[in-house]
Amino acid sequence: RRPDLVCGHQVGRIHRDQLFARLGLPVELDFPIFDRFGNCGSASLPLAVALAEEAGVLRSGMGLAMLGIGSGINASGLAITW
């Protein structure tokens, strides 16, 4: 199942666009926070999830993909139903 929303570690638009292209996901699924908070490292993912829920973008029953991509050395992902 394709996620309804994607939240993740964010380092910038170019990296995000490349990641989504490689995963075959439209960038419209992303909940970006880089433009407001910059690269806040490992806090990016939980902050994006919290802000998405607070904004009403992430709602109960939605499929959420949480992506932690770290400098090409490690990567993790978790898909859940919120």
Side-chain angles (χ1 to χ4, degrees), residues 19-51:
L19 172 65
F20 275 63
R22 288 183 188 232
L23 294 176
L25 295 171
V27 295
E28 294 79 24
L29 295 180
D30 188 31
F31 185 80
I33 62 167
F34 182 81
D35 56 339
R36 293 175 282 162
F37 298 97
N39 180 1
C40 35
S42 60
S44 297
L45 195 153
L47 179 59
V49 171
L51 292 172

Side-chain angles (χ1 to χ4, degrees), residues 1-2 9-11 16 24-25 29 34-35 39 42-44 53 59 65 69 75 79-80:
R1 162 181 173 187
R2 187 178 97 173
H9 170 69
Q10 302 170 19
V11 296
R16 188 267 325 260
L25 295 171
L29 295 180
F34 182 81
D35 56 339
N39 180 1
S42 60
S44 297
E53 184 179 43
R59 297 175 304 282
I69 312 298
I80 64 167

Side-chain angles (χ1 to χ4, degrees), residues 5 31 48-60 62 82:
L5 186 67
F31 185 80
V49 171
L51 292 172
E53 184 179 43
E54 184 178 271
V57 175
L58 177 58
R59 297 175 304 282
S60 180
M62 291 180 73
W82 191 259

